[in-house]
Amino acid sequence: MIPGSPLSLALPKGRLFDRTLEYFAARGLSIPLPERELVVTDTKGMVKVFIVKNSDLPVYVTHGIAGLGICGSDVLRESRAVFFELLEFPFGSTRMCLAALEESRNGAGQMAGHAGGHAAGVKLKVATKFPVFTRDFFNSRGIPVEIIKLHGSVELAPVLGLAPYIVDLVETGSTLKANGLRIVEELENTKVKLIANPAYYKIHYQKVNAFVNFLKGQA
Ligand code: PRP
């Protein structure tokens, strides 16, 4: 039990939300979920939770609205903001992958694998929700790239002819498979992290450290 007012914690909607609540519940931390309420406090009064859109989470923590947040490393990188990373969770890891339609398998592999494998000056067209990661990745390979930013259902881009390649998260692989796509290359494993606004951490470090130890099962 952490005495005093609750810590503020942003949690992302979607798949990660359910897994986080399961992880909390296994440690005796129960978050009530009245229908459609987006601000809830756990039954022990330890954390006040803000339920936010995944990609907005770094915004709330950067502005200090939420002192803490739980977020994938993919979303953290896109924000380009600075946080303290306090804990890496054992759930929610995914793979950031380059993918293409099944039939373009060989051509895509060559382009991704070898900077010189395509015509000089020709940009590789890639649709993604992760333009920062994608630009950094292709820059590091010296491959010219044209990035088309999307906000979801990225797998549609090659199917409809918007872009031949996508960079996206793959978990089970079922979305790729269902849309006739395949992984060309696995680019990075993502991790789920507990982050803190640096100023918030400095002010509340004792309580935050107690919360981290509680999550680790050491409190
Ligand atoms: C994510 C990701 C892929 C899908 C991969 O999208 O961007 O589209 O999940 O999961 P799978 O490998 O298990 O099929 P999300 O479900 O967050 O929806 P979105 O496309 O609307 O962003």
Side-chain angles (χ1 to χ4, degrees), residues 3-25:
S5 56
L7 293 165
S8 57
L9 172 70
L11 293 185
K13 285 180 184 175
R15 300 181 199 206
L16 217 44
F17 186 71
D18 293 339
R19 288 176 199 174
T20 303
L21 292 199
E22 278 170 28
Y23 183 87
F24 282 177

PDB file of all heavy atoms in Angstrom, residues 3-25:
ATOM      1  N   PRO A   3       0.952   5.144   0.795  1.00  0.00           N
ATOM      2  CA  PRO A   3       0.135   6.173   1.452  1.00  0.00           C
ATOM      3  C   PRO A   3       0.068   7.463   0.638  1.00  0.00           C
ATOM      4  O   PRO A   3       0.915   7.724  -0.213  1.00  0.00           O
ATOM      5  CB  PRO A   3       0.868   6.401   2.784  1.00  0.00           C
ATOM      6  CG  PRO A   3       2.255   5.916   2.572  1.00  0.00           C
ATOM      7  CD  PRO A   3       2.226   4.911   1.478  1.00  0.00           C
ATOM      8  N   GLY A   4      -0.949   8.293   0.921  1.00  0.00           N
ATOM      9  CA  GLY A   4      -1.077   9.595   0.245  1.00  0.00           C
ATOM     10  C   GLY A   4      -1.974   9.514  -0.961  1.00  0.00           C
ATOM     11  O   GLY A   4      -2.615   8.496  -1.225  1.00  0.00           O
ATOM     12  N   SER A   5      -1.988  10.616  -1.734  1.00  0.00           N
ATOM     13  CA  SER A   5      -2.871  10.664  -2.898  1.00  0.00           C
ATOM     14  C   SER A   5      -2.348   9.717  -3.991  1.00  0.00           C
ATOM     15  O   SER A   5      -1.149   9.433  -4.059  1.00  0.00           O
ATOM     16  CB  SER A   5      -2.965  12.097  -3.418  1.00  0.00           C
ATOM     17  OG  SER A   5      -1.671  12.560  -3.690  1.00  0.00           O
ATOM     18  N   PRO A   6      -3.241   9.230  -4.855  1.00  0.00           N
ATOM     19  CA  PRO A   6      -2.809   8.248  -5.857  1.00  0.00           C
ATOM     20  C   PRO A   6      -1.854   8.848  -6.892  1.00  0.00           C
ATOM     21  O   PRO A   6      -1.904  10.043  -7.187  1.00  0.00           O
ATOM     22  CB  PRO A   6      -4.117   7.816  -6.511  1.00  0.00           C
ATOM     23  CG  PRO A   6      -5.136   8.813  -6.136  1.00  0.00           C
ATOM     24  CD  PRO A   6      -4.681   9.511  -4.907  1.00  0.00           C
ATOM     25  N   LEU A   7      -0.988   7.995  -7.422  1.00  0.00           N
ATOM     26  CA  LEU A   7      -0.150   8.379  -8.560  1.00  0.00           C
ATOM     27  C   LEU A   7      -1.040   8.481  -9.797  1.00  0.00           C
ATOM     28  O   LEU A   7      -2.055   7.782  -9.890  1.00  0.00           O
ATOM     29  CB  LEU A   7       0.919   7.308  -8.795  1.00  0.00           C
ATOM     30  CG  LEU A   7       1.973   7.164  -7.699  1.00  0.00           C
ATOM     31  CD1 LEU A   7       2.721   5.849  -7.863  1.00  0.00           C
ATOM     32  CD2 LEU A   7       2.943   8.340  -7.742  1.00  0.00           C
ATOM     33  N   SER A   8      -0.653   9.324 -10.741  1.00  0.00           N
ATOM     34  CA  SER A   8      -1.437   9.402 -11.986  1.00  0.00           C
ATOM     35  C   SER A   8      -0.762   8.546 -13.053  1.00  0.00           C
ATOM     36  O   SER A   8       0.461   8.617 -13.246  1.00  0.00           O
ATOM     37  CB  SER A   8      -1.576  10.853 -12.440  1.00  0.00           C
ATOM     38  OG  SER A   8      -0.311  11.444 -12.604  1.00  0.00           O
ATOM     39  N   LEU A   9      -1.563   7.733 -13.725  1.00  0.00           N
ATOM     40  CA  LEU A   9      -1.029   6.745 -14.669  1.00  0.00           C
ATOM     41  C   LEU A   9      -1.891   6.695 -15.923  1.00  0.00           C
ATOM     42  O   LEU A   9      -3.091   6.436 -15.841  1.00  0.00           O
ATOM     43  CB  LEU A   9      -1.029   5.370 -13.990  1.00  0.00           C
ATOM     44  CG  LEU A   9      -0.684   4.160 -14.854  1.00  0.00           C
ATOM     45  CD1 LEU A   9       0.798   4.169 -15.240  1.00  0.00           C
ATOM     46  CD2 LEU A   9      -0.996   2.861 -14.108  1.00  0.00           C
ATOM     47  N   ALA A  10      -1.288   6.944 -17.073  1.00  0.00           N
ATOM     48  CA  ALA A  10      -2.011   6.819 -18.346  1.00  0.00           C
ATOM     49  C   ALA A  10      -1.860   5.391 -18.865  1.00  0.00           C
ATOM     50  O   ALA A  10      -0.759   4.845 -18.895  1.00  0.00           O
ATOM     51  CB  ALA A  10      -1.450   7.812 -19.368  1.00  0.00           C
ATOM     52  N   LEU A  11      -2.983   4.804 -19.254  1.00  0.00           N
ATOM     53  CA  LEU A  11      -2.972   3.472 -19.858  1.00  0.00           C
ATOM     54  C   LEU A  11      -3.554   3.563 -21.271  1.00  0.00           C
ATOM     55  O   LEU A  11      -4.527   4.286 -21.495  1.00  0.00           O
ATOM     56  CB  LEU A  11      -3.817   2.489 -19.039  1.00  0.00           C
ATOM     57  CG  LEU A  11      -3.334   2.130 -17.643  1.00  0.00           C
ATOM     58  CD1 LEU A  11      -4.230   1.052 -17.048  1.00  0.00           C
ATOM     59  CD2 LEU A  11      -1.894   1.655 -17.665  1.00  0.00           C
ATOM     60  N   PRO A  12      -2.966   2.806 -22.201  1.00  0.00           N
ATOM     61  CA  PRO A  12      -3.460   2.874 -23.590  1.00  0.00           C
ATOM     62  C   PRO A  12      -4.656   1.954 -23.814  1.00  0.00           C
ATOM     63  O   PRO A  12      -4.670   0.814 -23.349  1.00  0.00           O
ATOM     64  CB  PRO A  12      -2.252   2.391 -24.393  1.00  0.00           C
ATOM     65  CG  PRO A  12      -1.542   1.447 -23.475  1.00  0.00           C
ATOM     66  CD  PRO A  12      -1.821   1.905 -22.067  1.00  0.00           C
ATOM     67  N   LYS A  13      -5.631   2.455 -24.545  1.00  0.00           N
ATOM     68  CA  LYS A  13      -6.752   1.611 -24.981  1.00  0.00           C
ATOM     69  C   LYS A  13      -6.225   0.506 -25.885  1.00  0.00           C
ATOM     70  O   LYS A  13      -5.147   0.625 -26.442  1.00  0.00           O
ATOM     71  CB  LYS A  13      -7.726   2.434 -25.831  1.00  0.00           C
ATOM     72  CG  LYS A  13      -8.591   3.377 -25.075  1.00  0.00           C
ATOM     73  CD  LYS A  13      -9.484   4.103 -26.078  1.00  0.00           C
ATOM     74  CE  LYS A  13     -10.306   5.151 -25.371  1.00  0.00           C
ATOM     75  NZ  LYS A  13     -11.084   5.954 -26.293  1.00  0.00           N
ATOM     76  N   GLY A  14      -7.030  -0.525 -26.076  1.00  0.00           N
ATOM     77  CA  GLY A  14      -6.638  -1.571 -27.040  1.00  0.00           C
ATOM     78  C   GLY A  14      -6.070  -2.789 -26.355  1.00  0.00           C
ATOM     79  O   GLY A  14      -6.290  -3.020 -25.182  1.00  0.00           O
ATOM     80  N   ARG A  15      -5.293  -3.567 -27.132  1.00  0.00           N
ATOM     81  CA  ARG A  15      -4.801  -4.864 -26.639  1.00  0.00           C
ATOM     82  C   ARG A  15      -3.999  -4.747 -25.363  1.00  0.00           C
ATOM     83  O   ARG A  15      -4.105  -5.575 -24.464  1.00  0.00           O
ATOM     84  CB  ARG A  15      -3.861  -5.502 -27.665  1.00  0.00           C
ATOM     85  CG  ARG A  15      -4.475  -5.762 -28.985  1.00  0.00           C
ATOM     86  CD  ARG A  15      -3.460  -6.408 -29.894  1.00  0.00           C
ATOM     87  NE  ARG A  15      -3.870  -6.271 -31.263  1.00  0.00           N
ATOM     88  CZ  ARG A  15      -3.524  -7.090 -32.223  1.00  0.00           C
ATOM     89  NH1 ARG A  15      -2.724  -8.102 -31.967  1.00  0.00           N
ATOM     90  NH2 ARG A  15      -3.939  -6.891 -33.439  1.00  0.00           N
ATOM     91  N   LEU A  16      -3.167  -3.710 -25.306  1.00  0.00           N
ATOM     92  CA  LEU A  16      -2.276  -3.548 -24.162  1.00  0.00           C
ATOM     93  C   LEU A  16      -3.063  -3.291 -22.876  1.00  0.00           C
ATOM     94  O   LEU A  16      -2.619  -3.646 -21.780  1.00  0.00           O
ATOM     95  CB  LEU A  16      -1.344  -2.366 -24.448  1.00  0.00           C
ATOM     96  CG  LEU A  16       0.090  -2.441 -23.977  1.00  0.00           C
ATOM     97  CD1 LEU A  16       0.692  -3.790 -24.259  1.00  0.00           C
ATOM     98  CD2 LEU A  16       0.886  -1.329 -24.666  1.00  0.00           C
ATOM     99  N   PHE A  17      -4.218  -2.682 -23.028  1.00  0.00           N
ATOM    100  CA  PHE A  17      -5.025  -2.325 -21.862  1.00  0.00           C
ATOM    101  C   PHE A  17      -5.413  -3.585 -21.079  1.00  0.00           C
ATOM    102  O   PHE A  17      -5.182  -3.676 -19.866  1.00  0.00           O
ATOM    103  CB  PHE A  17      -6.269  -1.559 -22.315  1.00  0.00           C
ATOM    104  CG  PHE A  17      -7.080  -1.023 -21.184  1.00  0.00           C
ATOM    105  CD1 PHE A  17      -6.624   0.028 -20.408  1.00  0.00           C
ATOM    106  CD2 PHE A  17      -8.318  -1.574 -20.874  1.00  0.00           C
ATOM    107  CE1 PHE A  17      -7.375   0.530 -19.356  1.00  0.00           C
ATOM    108  CE2 PHE A  17      -9.074  -1.084 -19.819  1.00  0.00           C
ATOM    109  CZ  PHE A  17      -8.602  -0.035 -19.063  1.00  0.00           C
ATOM    110  N   ASP A  18      -5.978  -4.563 -21.778  1.00  0.00           N
ATOM    111  CA  ASP A  18      -6.430  -5.789 -21.098  1.00  0.00           C
ATOM    112  C   ASP A  18      -5.251  -6.518 -20.455  1.00  0.00           C
ATOM    113  O   ASP A  18      -5.345  -7.029 -19.345  1.00  0.00           O
ATOM    114  CB  ASP A  18      -7.120  -6.728 -22.095  1.00  0.00           C
ATOM    115  CG  ASP A  18      -8.437  -6.118 -22.589  1.00  0.00           C
ATOM    116  OD1 ASP A  18      -8.971  -5.226 -21.899  1.00  0.00           O
ATOM    117  OD2 ASP A  18      -8.909  -6.519 -23.666  1.00  0.00           O
ATOM    118  N   ARG A  19      -4.139  -6.545 -21.150  1.00  0.00           N
ATOM    119  CA  ARG A  19      -2.972  -7.252 -20.601  1.00  0.00           C
ATOM    120  C   ARG A  19      -2.421  -6.544 -19.370  1.00  0.00           C
ATOM    121  O   ARG A  19      -1.972  -7.174 -18.416  1.00  0.00           O
ATOM    122  CB  ARG A  19      -1.882  -7.379 -21.655  1.00  0.00           C
ATOM    123  CG  ARG A  19      -2.297  -8.382 -22.689  1.00  0.00           C
ATOM    124  CD  ARG A  19      -1.321  -8.484 -23.800  1.00  0.00           C
ATOM    125  NE  ARG A  19      -1.991  -9.089 -24.933  1.00  0.00           N
ATOM    126  CZ  ARG A  19      -1.457  -9.234 -26.115  1.00  0.00           C
ATOM    127  NH1 ARG A  19      -0.242  -8.810 -26.325  1.00  0.00           N
ATOM    128  NH2 ARG A  19      -2.128  -9.783 -27.085  1.00  0.00           N
ATOM    129  N   THR A  20      -2.459  -5.220 -19.408  1.00  0.00           N
ATOM    130  CA  THR A  20      -1.984  -4.462 -18.249  1.00  0.00           C
ATOM    131  C   THR A  20      -2.892  -4.730 -17.048  1.00  0.00           C
ATOM    132  O   THR A  20      -2.411  -4.941 -15.924  1.00  0.00           O
ATOM    133  CB  THR A  20      -1.965  -2.949 -18.577  1.00  0.00           C
ATOM    134  OG1 THR A  20      -1.144  -2.746 -19.728  1.00  0.00           O
ATOM    135  CG2 THR A  20      -1.415  -2.142 -17.423  1.00  0.00           C
ATOM    136  N   LEU A  21      -4.196  -4.731 -17.281  1.00  0.00           N
ATOM    137  CA  LEU A  21      -5.114  -4.980 -16.172  1.00  0.00           C
ATOM    138  C   LEU A  21      -4.945  -6.393 -15.606  1.00  0.00           C
ATOM    139  O   LEU A  21      -5.034  -6.596 -14.401  1.00  0.00           O
ATOM    140  CB  LEU A  21      -6.565  -4.760 -16.610  1.00  0.00           C
ATOM    141  CG  LEU A  21      -6.962  -3.314 -16.926  1.00  0.00           C
ATOM    142  CD1 LEU A  21      -8.475  -3.162 -16.875  1.00  0.00           C
ATOM    143  CD2 LEU A  21      -6.317  -2.301 -16.010  1.00  0.00           C
ATOM    144  N   GLU A  22      -4.670  -7.346 -16.492  1.00  0.00           N
ATOM    145  CA  GLU A  22      -4.404  -8.723 -16.017  1.00  0.00           C
ATOM    146  C   GLU A  22      -3.147  -8.748 -15.143  1.00  0.00           C
ATOM    147  O   GLU A  22      -3.115  -9.391 -14.104  1.00  0.00           O
ATOM    148  CB  GLU A  22      -4.174  -9.665 -17.207  1.00  0.00           C
ATOM    149  CG  GLU A  22      -5.450 -10.180 -17.841  1.00  0.00           C
ATOM    150  CD  GLU A  22      -5.165 -10.897 -19.161  1.00  0.00           C
ATOM    151  OE1 GLU A  22      -4.052 -11.449 -19.326  1.00  0.00           O
ATOM    152  OE2 GLU A  22      -6.051 -10.861 -20.033  1.00  0.00           O
ATOM    153  N   TYR A  23      -2.130  -8.046 -15.605  1.00  0.00           N
ATOM    154  CA  TYR A  23      -0.853  -7.992 -14.861  1.00  0.00           C
ATOM    155  C   TYR A  23      -1.081  -7.334 -13.491  1.00  0.00           C
ATOM    156  O   TYR A  23      -0.589  -7.812 -12.474  1.00  0.00           O
ATOM    157  CB  TYR A  23       0.160  -7.194 -15.690  1.00  0.00           C
ATOM    158  CG  TYR A  23       1.542  -7.115 -15.102  1.00  0.00           C
ATOM    159  CD1 TYR A  23       2.493  -8.104 -15.354  1.00  0.00           C
ATOM    160  CD2 TYR A  23       1.907  -6.038 -14.299  1.00  0.00           C
ATOM    161  CE1 TYR A  23       3.765  -8.025 -14.824  1.00  0.00           C
ATOM    162  CE2 TYR A  23       3.184  -5.948 -13.767  1.00  0.00           C
ATOM    163  CZ  TYR A  23       4.104  -6.945 -14.033  1.00  0.00           C
ATOM    164  OH  TYR A  23       5.366  -6.863 -13.500  1.00  0.00           O
ATOM    165  N   PHE A  24      -1.849  -6.248 -13.478  1.00  0.00           N
ATOM    166  CA  PHE A  24      -2.172  -5.572 -12.221  1.00  0.00           C
ATOM    167  C   PHE A  24      -2.961  -6.518 -11.306  1.00  0.00           C
ATOM    168  O   PHE A  24      -2.672  -6.627 -10.105  1.00  0.00           O
ATOM    169  CB  PHE A  24      -3.024  -4.324 -12.482  1.00  0.00           C
ATOM    170  CG  PHE A  24      -2.257  -3.123 -12.988  1.00  0.00           C
ATOM    171  CD1 PHE A  24      -2.934  -1.942 -13.312  1.00  0.00           C
ATOM    172  CD2 PHE A  24      -0.880  -3.145 -13.122  1.00  0.00           C
ATOM    173  CE1 PHE A  24      -2.250  -0.828 -13.760  1.00  0.00           C
ATOM    174  CE2 PHE A  24      -0.183  -2.026 -13.586  1.00  0.00           C
ATOM    175  CZ  PHE A  24      -0.869  -0.873 -13.906  1.00  0.00           C
ATOM    176  N   ALA A  25      -3.966  -7.173 -11.879  1.00  0.00           N
ATOM    177  CA  ALA A  25      -4.845  -8.036 -11.066  1.00  0.00           C
ATOM    178  C   ALA A  25      -4.046  -9.159 -10.408  1.00  0.00           C
ATOM    179  O   ALA A  25      -4.304  -9.512  -9.245  1.00  0.00           O
ATOM    180  CB  ALA A  25      -5.952  -8.605 -11.947  1.00  0.00           C
TER     181      ALA A  25
END
